[in-house]
Amino acid sequence: MSLKFQKVFSEIQSNILNGIWVYGERIPSEMELCDMYGVSRITIRRALDKLVRQGVLVRTRGRGSYVCSRRLVAGTSHEWFQRNLEALGNPSFTRKLIHKERILATGHLAKALWLDRLDSPQYVWYFKSVGYLDDQPIGVSNSYVLEPIGEDMAKSDELDIYFYQDIEKCTGKMYTLSRGAVSAVNANEELCDLLKIPAGTPCLWSRSVGCMDDGSPVEVRYTIYNGNMFEFAYDVDSQRPTEKFWDSYR
C-alpha cells in the first residue's frame, strides 16, 4: 500500500470523523481533492472506493461523493429500527434461524436471568439467527431465552422478524425493556462468513438483557452488527442511572 494513498485515505477519513464534512454533505470533487493533496486521480479514486466499501461515503454518478447520511441504528428499540427502514425506502428485513439448542445456564447467563437464585440447575434455549436486509446479511444474533418460553419457540423452524414478538406470543405479556451495551470489535472468521464481509471488518457488538412488563428478565442477547451498515445511538438520562443494573448483570 503506497504512502500517498494511505495519507490521502487517512486525511479524508479524518475530515469526516472529525465533523469537517458532515452527514449528507458532498465532499470536494476528485479533481479538487487531487489539487488539495497533490496526488493523481487514481490515488484519489482508490481512497474514495475504500471509504465507500466502509460505508462512510456514497458515490452518485454525475453528482459526486457524499458522506453517508443514513445508517441503520444499533442499540435502539424495534420501533426505532423500523422507522430506520422506512427512511431507507422500506427494504425487506428478514431473519433466518440457523441453530437452536437447549443448554445449561451457568455463570453470567444464569445471573442475568435470575436463575442463580434457584437451587436446582436451570436450562435455557439458545437461538442463533442471521438478519438480512433484502439479500444482504447485516447481523448475527445469539439469544438465550428462559426454558418454558424457549421450548415453545423451538417448536417452529421459523421465528418472527423480532424475538420480542415470539416471546410475547408465548407469554401473553408485553416485552417492555431491554438494556445493554455496545462495543467495537473486529469480525472473526465465522462472522466474516455469515455476514459476507472481509476479514477484520469493524463490527458493533451489542449485549443486552430483555425484560417483561413486571421487570423480570426473560432473554439475554448478543448481536454482532456489520459496522459498515450500522451506527450506535444513545441518549443520557441522569434520572435513571444504569450502574446498579450493570453491576447485577456483570
Side-chain angles (χ1 to χ4, degrees):
M1 185 180 297
S2 72
L3 292 177
K4 286 185 178 181
F5 163 76
Q6 187 58 49
K7 180 176 184 296
V8 169
F9 169 80
S10 296
E11 291 196 13
I12 295 176
Q13 184 186 55
S14 293
N15 283 340
I16 295 169
L17 298 180
N18 294 339
I20 295 174
W21 298 329
V22 299
Y23 281 4
E25 181 180 345
R26 186 175 72 85
I27 71 171
S29 68
E30 290 182 2
M31 292 308 299
E32 289 172 329
L33 291 171
C34 288
D35 292 337
M36 287 173 61
Y37 297 111
V39 297
S40 69
R41 195 165 185 174
I42 293 176
T43 299
I44 293 297
R45 283 183 175 174
R46 285 182 60 202
L48 296 182
D49 286 344
K50 185 172 181 180
L51 289 165
V52 169
R53 291 195 299 272
Q54 290 185 346
V56 177
L57 291 178
V58 59
R59 306 180 78 178
T60 303
R61 185 180 296 275
R63 296 182 59 193
S65 299
Y66 291 78
V67 181
C68 283
S69 58
R70 292 200 180 276
R71 285 189 179 187
L72 297 167
V73 180
T76 62
S77 68
H78 299 97
E79 291 79 9
W80 193 354
F81 179 74
Q82 193 61 47
R83 290 198 296 272
N84 268 221
L85 296 183
E86 293 171 1
L88 291 171
N90 286 313
S92 172
F93 177 62
T94 57
R95 184 158 58 93
K96 180 182 178 182
L97 182 65
I98 60 175
H99 183 75
K100 58 184 177 181
E101 179 183 4
R102 179 177 178 264
I103 65 171
L104 183 66
T106 59
H108 77 279
L109 184 60
K111 185 177 181 180
L113 291 172
W114 296 358
L115 299 176
D116 60 337
R117 306 177 183 185
L118 304 176
D119 295 330
S120 59
Q122 299 295 311
Y123 287 80
V124 296
W125 273 89
Y126 165 53
F127 300 93
K128 190 182 190 75
S129 63
V130 180
Y132 293 84
L133 204 57
D134 290 333
D135 294 326
Q136 182 173 1
I138 61 172
V140 178
S141 290
N142 298 277
S143 183
Y144 302 85
V145 183
L146 291 178
E147 184 177 24
I149 302 169
E151 190 169 351
D152 284 342
M153 293 170 60
K155 293 175 182 177
S156 173
D157 290 328
E158 294 185 5
L159 300 176
D160 284 318
I161 294 177
Y162 303 115
F163 266 102
Y164 84 93
Q165 294 173 325
D166 298 300
I167 293 172
E168 288 183 342
K169 285 181 181 178
C170 293
T171 62
K173 299 179 181 180
M174 289 186 63
Y175 185 110
T176 60
L177 176 66
S178 183
R179 289 180 175 173
V182 176
S183 303
V185 297
N186 286 327
N188 59 24
E189 185 175 345
E190 179 196 14
L191 290 170
C192 288
D193 182 58
L194 290 172
L195 294 175
K196 309 301 181 188
I197 54 178
T201 296
C203 293
L204 295 176
W205 178 36
S206 169
R207 294 96 66 205
S208 63
V209 177
C211 302
M212 305 309 292
D213 52 7
D214 61 0
S216 60
V218 67
E219 176 197 18
V220 173
R221 187 185 308 168
Y222 299 88
T223 303
I224 300 290
Y225 298 98
N226 182 345
N228 290 341
M229 300 185 66
F230 280 86
E231 61 188 8
F232 173 62
Y234 66 92
D235 50 37
V236 177
D237 185 349
S238 61
Q239 303 303 312
R240 300 183 64 185
T242 60
E243 287 85 353
K244 184 176 180 180
F245 172 82
W246 278 111
D247 285 345
S248 67
Y249 176 48
R250 289 172 174 165

